[in-house]
Amino acid sequence: MPGEPRTRPWQGESGRGNSTREIWHRASVERLQSTTTDLLIIGGGITGAGIARDAAMRGLRTVLVEQHDLGYGTSSRSSRLIHGGIRYLEEGDIGLVFEALRERRVLLRIAPHLVRPLPFVFPVHDGDRVPLWKLRAGVWLYDLLAAFRNVGWHRFLGKRALRRAEPMVREQGLRGGVRYFDAQCDDARLVVATVRAAMQHGALVASYMVVEDLIRADGRIQGVRIRDRLSGTAGQIRAAVVVNATGPWCDRLRQLEDPGVAPLLRPTKGVHVMVRRDRLGNQAAITLTSPIDGRVMFVIPWGDFSYIGTTDTDDAEDPEQVRATQDDIHYLLRSANAAFPNAHLGEEDVLSSWAGLRPLIRPPERLGASQIPREHVIQRGAGGMLTIAGGKLTTFRAMAEELVDQVVEILHDLDGRPRPPRPPSDREPLPGGEAAAVEPLGTPGTELGLFGETVEHLLRTYGTESAAILNLVRERRELARPLIPGYPAIEAEVIHVARRELAQRVEDVLVRRIHPYYETRDHGVGSARRTAELLGEEHGWDTARIEEEATRYVEWCAREG
Ligand code: FAD
């Protein structure tokens, strides 16, 4: 805003600066209303999170609001891959693959606890749509585009070598294949870590804060009307620049700005199912072409589990209502059973499923769903709101950089302020990612009597921040209790994610901070009450509220599970 100091007195309640307690707390309507912001971001998926981090790192006064939990939308329903996208090579998207491979390298560096190298085996059978020669050329090009700085160099596998590596893969008609490398990440936690990085740089963040309308003055969008979905309080936030980073919801926000605007998106739905890994016996991630329609899909290891995905179908559904249908699940199981003939997977083997909408840019007519390009666009609307849509989880940092460059220009045009330079967002680690080798941190955990499986889970989930959880256990030994029998998570984590990761509801904890929703047969329902009690300690809930929140989760699982 003209004349306003661009120091960040608003980081603390009264200008006292970055006390941890203050900056990690969810911003209230009152706090947001009394704040003058340079930039207001609507949407707490990976796109909004990345923008908030980049902007806050440049010193812009930044607010992010999300209508549900952080990462509630597409960003927690992906294939969890940080990848160049080998299949996009077929479509000739060399530039896209090159950029994504560069970003893969960045994310492996700044978030080594959440983004890990993953070997892939791609078998080829007689009659497959992608022949062996084409695949071999493809992986060469893939490693070349990674500037030979892939985590591992690809290898061609003869029939026998492939069977040795993956004995459960169908032998009949097998021609051979390749092994190549990509990376896997915990998508929902990547969002949370990115948002927290933004908060550490001074951004104010509020989840469960929905934008219900835009405020227009002098023909420009200059703020938003919000409602706190937890307290019911309504208010407004004024901002010099408003960014619409709402993924599959983005056309709704654009229509608030300009009711006659043509839709930007043509979303497609993608579904995954989770099964026990021993049912398939895959060692690496397996890339396969579905015998049903020849599409490339994956069977991806996830600890003791493997998930199979994804479908890719046109979908105009309300993003709130998107679900896996029986047809989606049958398609995935049939495709996996064809590649692993001894698996005999049936519906009863499916532990969980998830469905998300890809916020893809509306293409020229007559393209099939899988052929819609994955690039992003940044568009300035009639009222000056910036909409960013499309892209991938993998490329969020580069997308954010490009968008904030535009914000900086707009602010400069508005009040002549200097343009802050691009921040080192490609080098500064995300919270928890400060050390690539976190194993030494495991020793104190073992000394506290935690099982090895729990220690490993803590390191993989929180990286260097697992030290904070161990401190909680040191203070209150009972918090070392498993949250769910036979599952590695412990009770201290609920306190930690409520305090530091903006977890407000049981669902936020059991679905997106840790993942029993996906990995246990009862979706963690048995621990809903205890999770609510622990959250209640942090959020000051009475018994009735604890009961209500636990029941809400049980009912949600009954609907979704
Ligand atoms: P979202 O994550 O949907 O976030 C938008 C947010 O805006 C939502 O949380 C929503 O609640 C919020 N919002 C909406 N309206 C409002 C409002 N009025 N007020 C406040 N908040 C609001 N990419 C990869 O790189 N690797 C992969 O392996 C991969 N796999 C995928 C698999 C599938 C099945 C799908 C669907 C996508 C996949 N992608 C992958 C793409 C990637 O997941 C998406 O591009 C990315 O998550 C989009 O993030 P986003 O923040 O733009 O949208």
Side-chain angles (χ1 to χ4, degrees), residues 131-148:
L132 202 49
W133 67 264
K134 197 170 172 186
L135 181 61
R136 287 179 165 195
V139 285
W140 258 107
L141 183 58
Y142 204 56
D143 280 346
L144 193 69
L145 289 171
F148 297 100

Side-chain angles (χ1 to χ4, degrees), residues 42-48 65-68 72-75 77-81 83 209-211 245-249 253 270-272 310 356-359 390-394:
I42 313 169
I46 194 63
T47 307
V65 290
E66 160 56 48
Q67 62 178 351
H68 297 285
Y72 163 88
T74 305
S75 300
R77 302 153 193 251
S78 77
S79 303
R80 305 177 181 172
L81 297 179
H83 63 157
M209 196 73 72
V210 60
V211 169
T246 55
W249 286 261
L253 272 293
V271 172
H272 292 83
T310 168
L357 287 184
R358 298 180 184 83
K392 304 203 304 172
L393 199 68
T394 308

Side-chain angles (χ1 to χ4, degrees), residues 68 72-73 76-77 249 269 271-273 317-326 329 350-356 507 511-512 517-518 520-523 525 551-561:
H68 297 285
Y72 163 88
S76 61
R77 302 153 193 251
W249 286 261
K269 181 173 82 168
V271 172
H272 292 83
V273 294
E317 241 177 282
D318 176 353
E320 308 270 346
Q321 304 301 330
V322 62
R323 304 258 186 311
T325 63
Q326 262 199 338
I329 293 173
V350 174
L351 289 173
S352 58
S353 62
W354 62 96
E507 179 196 322
V511 181
R512 286 172 293 272
Y517 173 76
Y518 297 112
T520 64
R521 204 160 267 290
D522 80 338
H523 303 305
V525 157
T551 307
R552 178 194 296 272
Y553 181 68
V554 176
E555 288 174 357
W556 182 84
C557 286
R559 254 192 341 266
E560 300 283 321

